[in-house]
Short mmCIF file of all heavy atoms in Angstrom, two decimals:
data_model
loop_
_atom_site.label_atom_id
_atom_site.label_comp_id
_atom_site.label_asym_id
_atom_site.label_seq_id
_atom_site.Cartn_x
_atom_site.Cartn_y
_atom_site.Cartn_z
N THR A 21 82.24 123.95 57.03
CA THR A 21 83.56 124.12 56.43
C THR A 21 83.84 125.56 56.04
O THR A 21 84.92 126.09 56.26
CB THR A 21 83.69 123.22 55.17
OG1 THR A 21 83.47 121.87 55.57
CG2 THR A 21 85.05 123.37 54.56
N GLN A 22 82.80 126.24 55.47
CA GLN A 22 83.04 127.59 55.00
C GLN A 22 83.27 128.59 56.12
O GLN A 22 83.76 129.68 55.90
CB GLN A 22 81.88 128.07 54.11
CG GLN A 22 80.52 128.11 54.81
CD GLN A 22 79.71 126.85 54.60
OE1 GLN A 22 80.30 125.78 54.46
NE2 GLN A 22 78.40 126.97 54.54
N THR A 23 82.89 128.23 57.36
CA THR A 23 83.10 129.14 58.49
C THR A 23 84.32 128.74 59.31
O THR A 23 84.68 129.42 60.25
CB THR A 23 81.87 129.17 59.40
OG1 THR A 23 81.67 127.86 59.97
CG2 THR A 23 80.64 129.60 58.65
N GLN A 24 84.94 127.63 58.96
CA GLN A 24 86.12 127.20 59.68
C GLN A 24 87.32 128.06 59.33
O GLN A 24 87.47 128.50 58.18
CB GLN A 24 86.45 125.74 59.36
CG GLN A 24 85.50 124.73 60.00
CD GLN A 24 85.89 123.31 59.66
OE1 GLN A 24 86.55 123.06 58.66
NE2 GLN A 24 85.50 122.37 60.51
N PRO A 25 88.22 128.35 60.30
CA PRO A 25 89.44 129.10 59.99
C PRO A 25 90.38 128.26 59.13
O PRO A 25 90.26 127.04 59.06
CB PRO A 25 90.03 129.38 61.37
CG PRO A 25 89.48 128.31 62.25
CD PRO A 25 88.11 128.00 61.72
N VAL A 26 91.32 128.95 58.50
CA VAL A 26 92.26 128.30 57.59
C VAL A 26 93.68 128.64 58.03
O VAL A 26 93.98 129.78 58.37
CB VAL A 26 92.03 128.78 56.14
CG1 VAL A 26 93.01 128.10 55.19
CG2 VAL A 26 90.60 128.51 55.71
N ASP A 27 94.58 127.63 58.03
CA ASP A 27 95.97 127.90 58.38
C ASP A 27 96.73 128.42 57.17
O ASP A 27 96.15 128.60 56.08
CB ASP A 27 96.63 126.66 58.98
CG ASP A 27 96.73 125.49 58.01
OD1 ASP A 27 96.65 125.72 56.79
OD2 ASP A 27 96.91 124.35 58.47
N ILE A 28 98.03 128.66 57.32
CA ILE A 28 98.81 129.27 56.24
C ILE A 28 98.96 128.35 55.03
O ILE A 28 99.33 128.81 53.94
CB ILE A 28 100.21 129.69 56.75
CG1 ILE A 28 100.98 128.48 57.29
CG2 ILE A 28 100.10 130.78 57.78
CD1 ILE A 28 102.41 128.80 57.68
N ASN A 29 98.67 127.05 55.21
CA ASN A 29 98.76 126.11 54.10
C ASN A 29 97.41 125.89 53.42
O ASN A 29 97.29 125.04 52.54
CB ASN A 29 99.29 124.76 54.60
CG ASN A 29 100.71 124.87 55.14
OD1 ASN A 29 101.57 125.52 54.53
ND2 ASN A 29 100.97 124.25 56.29
N GLY A 30 96.40 126.64 53.85
CA GLY A 30 95.08 126.53 53.24
C GLY A 30 94.22 125.41 53.80
O GLY A 30 93.16 125.10 53.24
N ASN A 31 94.65 124.80 54.89
CA ASN A 31 93.90 123.69 55.49
C ASN A 31 92.93 124.21 56.56
O ASN A 31 93.31 125.01 57.42
CB ASN A 31 94.86 122.68 56.13
CG ASN A 31 95.81 122.07 55.12
OD1 ASN A 31 95.43 121.72 54.01
ND2 ASN A 31 97.08 121.96 55.50
N HIS A 32 91.70 123.75 56.50
CA HIS A 32 90.71 124.11 57.52
C HIS A 32 91.00 123.37 58.83
O HIS A 32 91.52 122.26 58.81
CB HIS A 32 89.30 123.75 57.03
CG HIS A 32 88.83 124.58 55.87
ND1 HIS A 32 88.29 125.83 56.01
CD2 HIS A 32 88.84 124.31 54.53
CE1 HIS A 32 87.97 126.32 54.82
NE2 HIS A 32 88.30 125.41 53.90
N PHE A 33 90.68 124.01 59.92
CA PHE A 33 90.84 123.36 61.22
C PHE A 33 89.75 123.83 62.16
O PHE A 33 89.10 124.85 61.91
CB PHE A 33 92.23 123.64 61.81
CG PHE A 33 92.50 125.09 62.12
CD1 PHE A 33 92.25 125.62 63.38
CD2 PHE A 33 93.03 125.93 61.14
CE1 PHE A 33 92.51 126.94 63.67
CE2 PHE A 33 93.29 127.28 61.42
CZ PHE A 33 93.03 127.78 62.68
N LYS A 34 89.56 123.08 63.26
CA LYS A 34 88.51 123.41 64.21
C LYS A 34 88.94 124.56 65.12
O LYS A 34 89.98 124.49 65.76
CB LYS A 34 88.14 122.18 65.04
CG LYS A 34 87.49 121.06 64.22
CD LYS A 34 87.11 119.88 65.11
CE LYS A 34 86.43 118.79 64.30
NZ LYS A 34 86.07 117.62 65.15
N ARG A 35 88.10 125.56 65.16
CA ARG A 35 88.41 126.75 65.95
C ARG A 35 88.37 126.46 67.45
O ARG A 35 89.17 127.01 68.22
CB ARG A 35 87.42 127.86 65.61
CG ARG A 35 87.71 129.18 66.32
CD ARG A 35 86.63 130.23 66.04
NE ARG A 35 86.70 130.70 64.66
CZ ARG A 35 85.78 130.46 63.74
NH1 ARG A 35 84.70 129.74 64.06
NH2 ARG A 35 85.89 130.92 62.52
N ALA A 36 87.45 125.60 67.88
CA ALA A 36 87.22 125.38 69.32
C ALA A 36 88.48 124.90 70.04
O ALA A 36 88.84 125.42 71.10
CB ALA A 36 86.09 124.37 69.51
N GLY A 37 89.17 123.90 69.49
CA GLY A 37 90.37 123.39 70.13
C GLY A 37 91.48 124.42 70.16
O GLY A 37 92.20 124.56 71.16
N PHE A 38 91.63 125.14 69.08
CA PHE A 38 92.63 126.21 68.96
C PHE A 38 92.42 127.26 70.04
O PHE A 38 93.34 127.67 70.75
CB PHE A 38 92.52 126.82 67.57
CG PHE A 38 93.56 127.86 67.23
CD1 PHE A 38 94.73 127.50 66.60
CD2 PHE A 38 93.34 129.19 67.51
CE1 PHE A 38 95.69 128.45 66.26
CE2 PHE A 38 94.28 130.16 67.20
CZ PHE A 38 95.46 129.78 66.56
N VAL A 39 91.15 127.69 70.18
CA VAL A 39 90.80 128.72 71.16
C VAL A 39 90.98 128.21 72.59
O VAL A 39 91.48 128.93 73.46
CB VAL A 39 89.35 129.20 70.94
CG1 VAL A 39 88.88 130.07 72.09
CG2 VAL A 39 89.24 129.96 69.62
N LEU A 40 90.60 126.97 72.84
CA LEU A 40 90.74 126.39 74.18
C LEU A 40 92.19 126.39 74.63
O LEU A 40 92.50 126.78 75.77
CB LEU A 40 90.20 124.96 74.19
CG LEU A 40 90.36 124.20 75.51
CD1 LEU A 40 89.54 124.86 76.61
CD2 LEU A 40 89.96 122.73 75.34
N VAL A 41 93.09 125.98 73.76
CA VAL A 41 94.51 125.94 74.09
C VAL A 41 95.03 127.34 74.43
O VAL A 41 95.76 127.54 75.40
CB VAL A 41 95.32 125.33 72.93
CG1 VAL A 41 96.81 125.58 73.11
CG2 VAL A 41 95.06 123.83 72.83
N LEU A 42 94.63 128.32 73.63
CA LEU A 42 95.06 129.70 73.87
C LEU A 42 94.55 130.22 75.20
O LEU A 42 95.28 130.84 75.97
CB LEU A 42 94.56 130.61 72.74
CG LEU A 42 95.32 130.56 71.41
CD1 LEU A 42 94.61 131.44 70.39
CD2 LEU A 42 96.76 131.05 71.60
N MET A 43 93.26 129.97 75.47
CA MET A 43 92.64 130.51 76.68
C MET A 43 93.23 129.89 77.95
O MET A 43 93.51 130.58 78.93
CB MET A 43 91.13 130.32 76.64
CG MET A 43 90.43 131.21 75.62
SD MET A 43 88.63 131.06 75.72
CE MET A 43 88.30 131.70 77.36
N VAL A 44 93.42 128.58 77.93
CA VAL A 44 93.98 127.91 79.11
C VAL A 44 95.42 128.37 79.35
O VAL A 44 95.82 128.67 80.49
CB VAL A 44 93.93 126.38 78.95
CG1 VAL A 44 94.68 125.69 80.09
CG2 VAL A 44 92.49 125.90 78.92
N GLY A 45 96.21 128.44 78.28
CA GLY A 45 97.59 128.89 78.41
C GLY A 45 97.69 130.30 78.97
O GLY A 45 98.51 130.59 79.84
N THR A 46 96.82 131.19 78.47
CA THR A 46 96.84 132.57 78.94
C THR A 46 96.33 132.68 80.37
O THR A 46 96.86 133.45 81.17
CB THR A 46 95.98 133.46 78.01
OG1 THR A 46 96.38 133.24 76.65
CG2 THR A 46 96.17 134.92 78.35
N PHE A 47 95.29 131.91 80.68
CA PHE A 47 94.76 131.91 82.05
C PHE A 47 95.85 131.54 83.06
O PHE A 47 96.00 132.19 84.10
CB PHE A 47 93.59 130.93 82.15
CG PHE A 47 93.00 130.82 83.53
CD1 PHE A 47 92.03 131.71 83.95
CD2 PHE A 47 93.42 129.82 84.40
CE1 PHE A 47 91.49 131.61 85.23
CE2 PHE A 47 92.89 129.71 85.67
CZ PHE A 47 91.91 130.61 86.09
N LEU A 48 96.62 130.52 82.74
CA LEU A 48 97.67 130.05 83.65
C LEU A 48 98.76 131.09 83.84
O LEU A 48 99.29 131.25 84.95
CB LEU A 48 98.28 128.75 83.12
CG LEU A 48 97.35 127.53 83.12
CD1 LEU A 48 97.99 126.38 82.35
CD2 LEU A 48 97.03 127.10 84.55
N THR A 49 99.11 131.79 82.78
CA THR A 49 100.19 132.78 82.89
C THR A 49 99.71 134.05 83.59
O THR A 49 100.44 134.62 84.41
CB THR A 49 100.75 133.13 81.50
OG1 THR A 49 99.69 133.60 80.65
CG2 THR A 49 101.41 131.94 80.86
N ILE A 50 98.48 134.49 83.29
CA ILE A 50 98.00 135.73 83.90
C ILE A 50 97.71 135.57 85.38
O ILE A 50 97.94 136.48 86.17
CB ILE A 50 96.75 136.25 83.15
CG1 ILE A 50 97.11 136.67 81.73
CG2 ILE A 50 96.13 137.43 83.89
CD1 ILE A 50 95.95 137.23 80.93
N ILE A 51 97.19 134.41 85.76
CA ILE A 51 96.83 134.21 87.17
C ILE A 51 98.05 134.33 88.06
O ILE A 51 97.94 134.67 89.24
CB ILE A 51 96.14 132.84 87.37
CG1 ILE A 51 95.33 132.82 88.67
CG2 ILE A 51 97.14 131.69 87.36
CD1 ILE A 51 94.50 131.57 88.86
N ASN A 52 99.23 134.10 87.50
CA ASN A 52 100.46 134.19 88.28
C ASN A 52 100.86 135.63 88.61
O ASN A 52 101.72 135.85 89.45
CB ASN A 52 101.62 133.50 87.54
CG ASN A 52 101.75 132.05 87.95
OD1 ASN A 52 102.49 131.72 88.85
ND2 ASN A 52 101.00 131.19 87.29
N GLN A 53 100.25 136.60 87.92
CA GLN A 53 100.57 138.00 88.22
C GLN A 53 100.16 138.38 89.64
O GLN A 53 100.84 139.15 90.31
CB GLN A 53 99.88 138.93 87.21
CG GLN A 53 100.44 138.82 85.81
CD GLN A 53 99.77 139.80 84.85
OE1 GLN A 53 98.82 140.49 85.21
NE2 GLN A 53 100.26 139.86 83.62
N THR A 54 99.03 137.85 90.10
CA THR A 54 98.53 138.21 91.43
C THR A 54 98.43 137.01 92.36
O THR A 54 97.89 137.13 93.46
CB THR A 54 97.15 138.89 91.31
OG1 THR A 54 96.28 138.04 90.54
CG2 THR A 54 97.26 140.23 90.62
N LEU A 55 98.93 135.86 91.95
CA LEU A 55 98.77 134.64 92.72
C LEU A 55 99.47 134.69 94.07
O LEU A 55 99.02 134.10 95.05
CB LEU A 55 99.29 133.43 91.91
CG LEU A 55 98.95 132.05 92.46
CD1 LEU A 55 97.44 131.81 92.43
CD2 LEU A 55 99.67 130.97 91.65
N LEU A 56 100.58 135.42 94.14
CA LEU A 56 101.38 135.44 95.37
C LEU A 56 101.00 136.56 96.33
O LEU A 56 101.59 136.67 97.41
CB LEU A 56 102.87 135.55 95.03
CG LEU A 56 103.51 134.38 94.26
CD1 LEU A 56 105.01 134.58 94.17
CD2 LEU A 56 103.18 133.05 94.91
N VAL A 57 100.04 137.40 95.94
CA VAL A 57 99.71 138.57 96.76
C VAL A 57 99.37 138.18 98.20
O VAL A 57 99.92 138.73 99.16
CB VAL A 57 98.54 139.36 96.14
CG1 VAL A 57 98.05 140.44 97.10
CG2 VAL A 57 98.98 139.99 94.83
N THR A 58 98.47 137.21 98.37
CA THR A 58 98.07 136.81 99.72
C THR A 58 99.01 135.77 100.32
O THR A 58 98.88 135.43 101.49
CB THR A 58 96.63 136.23 99.70
OG1 THR A 58 96.54 135.23 98.68
CG2 THR A 58 95.62 137.32 99.42
N ALA A 59 99.97 135.27 99.52
CA ALA A 59 100.90 134.25 100.02
C ALA A 59 102.20 134.85 100.54
O ALA A 59 103.00 134.16 101.18
CB ALA A 59 101.22 133.25 98.91
N LEU A 60 102.42 136.15 100.31
CA LEU A 60 103.70 136.77 100.67
C LEU A 60 104.04 136.65 102.16
O LEU A 60 105.20 136.37 102.50
CB LEU A 60 103.72 138.24 100.23
CG LEU A 60 103.80 138.50 98.73
CD1 LEU A 60 103.88 140.00 98.46
CD2 LEU A 60 104.99 137.79 98.10
N PRO A 61 103.09 136.86 103.08
CA PRO A 61 103.45 136.71 104.51
C PRO A 61 104.00 135.32 104.84
O PRO A 61 104.97 135.20 105.61
CB PRO A 61 102.12 136.97 105.23
CG PRO A 61 101.35 137.85 104.30
CD PRO A 61 101.71 137.36 102.93
N LYS A 62 103.39 134.27 104.28
CA LYS A 62 103.87 132.91 104.54
C LYS A 62 105.25 132.69 103.90
O LYS A 62 106.11 132.02 104.49
CB LYS A 62 102.87 131.89 103.97
CG LYS A 62 101.50 131.93 104.64
CD LYS A 62 101.56 131.34 106.03
CE LYS A 62 100.17 131.34 106.70
NZ LYS A 62 99.22 130.42 106.09
N ILE A 63 105.46 133.22 102.71
CA ILE A 63 106.76 133.09 102.05
C ILE A 63 107.84 133.83 102.84
O ILE A 63 108.97 133.34 103.00
CB ILE A 63 106.68 133.63 100.60
CG1 ILE A 63 105.74 132.75 99.76
CG2 ILE A 63 108.07 133.68 99.96
CD1 ILE A 63 105.50 133.27 98.36
N MET A 64 107.51 135.02 103.35
CA MET A 64 108.46 135.79 104.16
C MET A 64 108.88 135.01 105.39
O MET A 64 110.07 134.97 105.74
CB MET A 64 107.81 137.12 104.58
CG MET A 64 107.63 138.11 103.45
SD MET A 64 106.51 139.48 103.89
CE MET A 64 107.34 140.14 105.33
N LEU A 65 107.92 134.36 106.02
CA LEU A 65 108.22 133.58 107.22
C LEU A 65 109.04 132.34 106.91
O LEU A 65 110.01 132.02 107.60
CB LEU A 65 106.90 133.18 107.89
CG LEU A 65 107.01 132.47 109.25
CD1 LEU A 65 107.66 133.38 110.29
CD2 LEU A 65 105.63 132.01 109.72
N ASP A 66 108.68 131.65 105.82
CA ASP A 66 109.33 130.40 105.46
C ASP A 66 110.76 130.62 104.99
O ASP A 66 111.68 129.86 105.34
CB ASP A 66 108.51 129.70 104.38
CG ASP A 66 109.00 128.29 104.09
OD1 ASP A 66 109.60 127.68 105.00
OD2 ASP A 66 108.82 127.80 102.96
N LEU A 67 110.98 131.66 104.18
CA LEU A 67 112.30 131.90 103.60
C LEU A 67 113.09 132.95 104.39
O LEU A 67 114.23 133.26 104.01
CB LEU A 67 112.16 132.35 102.14
CG LEU A 67 111.49 131.35 101.19
CD1 LEU A 67 111.46 131.91 99.77
CD2 LEU A 67 112.21 130.00 101.21
N ASP A 68 112.50 133.49 105.45
CA ASP A 68 113.15 134.48 106.30
C ASP A 68 113.64 135.68 105.49
O ASP A 68 114.83 136.02 105.48
CB ASP A 68 114.32 133.84 107.06
CG ASP A 68 114.87 134.76 108.15
OD1 ASP A 68 114.10 135.61 108.63
OD2 ASP A 68 116.05 134.62 108.51
N ILE A 69 112.71 136.33 104.81
CA ILE A 69 113.05 137.49 103.98
C ILE A 69 112.20 138.68 104.41
O ILE A 69 111.17 138.53 105.06
CB ILE A 69 112.82 137.21 102.47
CG1 ILE A 69 111.36 136.81 102.21
CG2 ILE A 69 113.78 136.14 101.98
CD1 ILE A 69 111.04 136.64 100.74
N SER A 70 112.65 139.88 104.02
CA SER A 70 111.93 141.10 104.37
C SER A 70 110.75 141.32 103.44
O SER A 70 110.63 140.67 102.39
CB SER A 70 112.88 142.30 104.27
OG SER A 70 113.26 142.51 102.92
N ALA A 71 109.89 142.26 103.80
CA ALA A 71 108.72 142.58 102.97
C ALA A 71 109.16 143.15 101.62
O ALA A 71 108.52 142.89 100.59
CB ALA A 71 107.82 143.58 103.70
#
Side-chain angles (χ1 to χ4, degrees):
T21 302
Q22 60 266 31
T23 64
Q24 287 181 336
V26 180
D27 64 20
I28 59 174
N29 296 316
N31 300 317
H32 293 277
F33 63 93
K34 293 182 179 179
R35 184 185 289 112
F38 185 92
V39 169
L40 176 65
V41 166
L42 282 175
M43 290 185 64
V44 172
T46 309
F47 178 85
L48 293 170
T49 56
I50 293 182
I51 200 173
N52 268 268
Q53 291 182 354
T54 53
L55 192 65
L56 296 187
V57 171
T58 51
L60 289 183
K62 296 287 182 69
I63 294 175
M64 290 166 58
L65 185 63
D66 189 26
L67 299 182
D68 191 24
I69 58 175
S70 66

